[in-house]
Amino acid sequence: MNETVLTLNGVIDSYGWFRYQVEAFLNKNKDVPVRIRLDSYGGSVEEALAISRLLEGHGNVTVEFMGYVASAATWMAFGAKRIEMHEDTLWLCHKCSVSISEWGYKKAEELDQLIKDLKAQKKSAEVIDLTIARKYLERCTASGKTLQDVLTLMDEERYITSSDCLSWGFVDKVIPGMNQSDRESISDFVNLMHLPAIPKEADPGDSGKANQEGLLNRFLSGLASMFNEKKQEEKPELPEEPKPTTQTQNKMREDFKSVNALLGVTGLPVSDGKIELTQEQVKAIEDALAVGKEVDDMLDSISDHVKSIKGTVNKVNALKLLVDRIPTGVPGSSSQAGTEDNDDTPDTSDMNDPVNEYVRTNFKKKSKN
């Protein structure tokens, strides 16, 4: 039987994805398998708890982790019948955070009350952390993990890989390769910015090495190859290497490896502390500097932000971060069922009543995870 798919992107709270949207979708698809493609940094503990129970109540939901899955989104999925995770997805858990809003001058008795309130909020946060830790523990007891292991992982607050999630027991299956939605989003970005095409993956009959390589790495490799090709085109023929002394060779190899590599020599003659260069060698250095400037100019043309960054390496790193932030969808994106062209996005036209409007505009969350 075909699955009905819901793409759930973004924050989990009353301003993004909240329980009533998910409930409407599940109610519309009570008797069919549902797949939720989840890409979220998390959000409200309360909304995530409610959605997790809705998934459990449906009874036939598969959650597919895509992109970045963090915080409340990680354990919200535990209500599903099955959890799958793309190989290149990153997963993060941490302890909850509590909103604190205090400003102004306080008298002594007011400070006492504030301290009392903060201690109460701290105790509440500890209860929430323990509740969430036990949810993780239910998934990973079979792997031999303890409650302390889970609390330590939450304290570290770091991303872990899909293989780590599988070994912990947080997911049931790892989907190999790059998910198609990420590929299309990054390809659109590459075409828009007139950047080099992303190298294609190897055929299934090949060794599979290219298939294992991340799409972003292949994109950056393509970018680097474009620059390298430019350097090869403009690199002049170098004159015959001078015959330096052994002492000179050792000195050049220790201190000027980059210059030696550029000129294609192992060393240059030194006289009275001065290095002698031919006109051809000076021209080779000048041409290399010109190519470097052209590379910087090409990077600067991408955006004003990249142009403001100092250093070629820093510019490329900034471009990498920009690609990492390409979204895979937005709340309200269309859903699809298997090979059929079904539009099962929750119909929220009947939610514009005073009650739901009040929830959306006035309900404030006290805790985030």
Side-chain angles (χ1 to χ4, degrees):
M1 183 182 293
N2 290 330
E3 295 175 318
T4 301
V5 178
L6 170 66
T7 299
L8 199 160
N9 266 7
V11 68
I12 310 296
D13 66 11
S14 57
Y15 298 99
W17 286 94
F18 61 112
R19 70 186 79 179
Y20 303 116
Q21 292 171 299
V22 177
E23 184 177 23
F25 179 85
L26 294 178
N27 287 342
K28 189 177 180 180
N29 298 278
K30 288 181 179 179
D31 302 321
V32 296
V34 169
R35 175 174 292 267
I36 295 180
R37 290 176 174 158
L38 180 61
D39 183 355
S40 171
Y41 286 105
S44 163
V45 170
E46 183 174 353
E47 290 298 320
L49 282 170
I51 292 173
S52 185
R53 290 303 179 200
L54 291 172
L55 303 184
E56 184 178 0
H58 183 279
N60 196 5
V61 176
T62 298
V63 171
E64 179 182 336
F65 287 159
M66 303 168 59
Y68 288 84
V69 179
S71 195
T74 60
W75 54 262
M76 181 185 75
F78 292 165
K81 181 178 179 180
R82 181 175 175 82
I83 303 175
E84 300 176 357
M85 182 176 183
H86 284 269
E87 182 182 9
D88 55 359
T89 296
L90 294 176
W91 186 101
L92 177 145
C93 68
H94 65 94
K95 291 186 174 180
C96 76
S97 57
V98 180
S99 176
I100 303 295
S101 179
E102 290 293 337
W103 185 256
Y105 298 94
K106 301 290 182 183
K107 297 177 182 178
E109 57 271 21
E110 292 174 329
L111 288 173
D112 287 338
Q113 184 60 47
L114 176 59
I115 292 171
K116 181 180 178 181
D117 293 342
L118 291 175
K119 286 182 177 179
Q121 286 186 298
K122 179 177 181 291
K123 290 180 180 179
S124 295
E126 290 170 347
V127 170
I128 294 172
D129 289 337
L130 184 58
T131 300
I132 293 172
R134 286 173 174 165
K135 285 184 173 293
Y136 289 127
L137 185 61
E138 288 177 5
R139 288 283 308 192
C140 63
T141 300
S143 64
K145 302 298 183 180
T146 65
L147 180 61
Q148 186 55 54
D149 292 330
V150 172
L151 290 171
T152 299
L153 182 62
M154 293 170 68
D155 272 330
E156 291 175 350
E157 197 167 335
R158 61 181 175 86
Y159 279 105
I160 63 175
T161 64
S162 56
S163 58
D164 289 333
C165 286
L166 186 63
S167 65
W168 274 77
F170 297 141
V171 300
D172 302 303
K173 174 186 175 182
V174 172
I175 303 172
M178 188 73 166
N179 66 70
Q180 188 63 30
S181 61
D182 282 350
R183 182 190 311 280
E184 292 172 354
S185 297
I186 296 179
S187 296
D188 289 344
F189 169 80
V190 167
N191 294 334
L192 177 65
M193 302 305 297
H194 303 290
L195 296 172
I198 300 171
K200 294 182 179 179
E201 295 183 3
D203 294 332
D206 294 341
S207 64
K209 181 178 180 181
N211 288 325
Q212 297 173 2
E213 185 180 8
L215 179 61
L216 178 59
N217 288 335
R218 296 202 306 277
F219 162 68
L220 294 177
S221 297
L223 189 64
S225 67
M226 179 186 70
F227 297 149
N228 290 335
E229 289 173 0
K230 188 70 175 177
K231 290 181 180 179
Q232 291 295 329
E233 291 174 0
E234 300 190 7
K235 187 174 181 180
E237 293 186 5
L238 298 175
E240 183 179 352
E241 176 185 352
K243 298 179 180 179
T245 63
T246 301
Q247 180 179 3
T248 300
Q249 288 178 331
N250 292 336
K251 180 67 173 177
M252 292 302 294
R253 281 198 297 268
E254 291 176 1
D255 299 335
F256 305 109
K257 292 181 180 180
S258 297
V259 175
N260 288 339
L262 174 64
L263 298 179
V265 300
T266 57
L268 294 169
V270 179
S271 177
D272 297 328
K274 299 179 180 180
I275 297 175
E276 299 179 0
L277 297 174
T278 65
Q279 286 186 342
E280 290 83 0
Q281 289 170 334
V282 173
K283 186 177 186 304
I285 294 174
E286 173 68 19
D287 290 342
L289 292 174
V291 171
K293 184 178 184 306
E294 185 173 349
V295 170
D296 277 339
D297 290 342
M298 293 174 67
L299 291 171
D300 290 345
S301 67
I302 294 176
S303 73
D304 291 338
H305 172 67
V306 174
K307 184 176 182 179
S308 66
I309 298 172
K310 301 297 183 182
T312 304
V313 173
N314 292 333
K315 293 177 189 289
V316 173
N317 286 336
L319 183 60
K320 177 180 179 298
L321 290 175
L322 180 62
V323 174
D324 284 341
R325 292 173 182 170
I326 297 174
T328 60
V330 295
S333 58
S334 61
S335 57
Q336 52 192 11
T339 58
E340 299 177 2
D341 186 18
N342 295 337
D343 184 6
D344 284 307
T345 301
D347 183 4
T348 58
S349 60
D350 59 347
M351 294 184 185
N352 295 324
D353 57 86
V355 175
N356 282 293
E357 183 64 24
Y358 176 82
V359 170
R360 283 193 292 269
T361 59
N362 295 286
F363 191 71
K364 295 183 178 178
K365 295 294 169 285
K366 293 185 176 180
S367 59
K368 291 281 184 178
N369 178 253

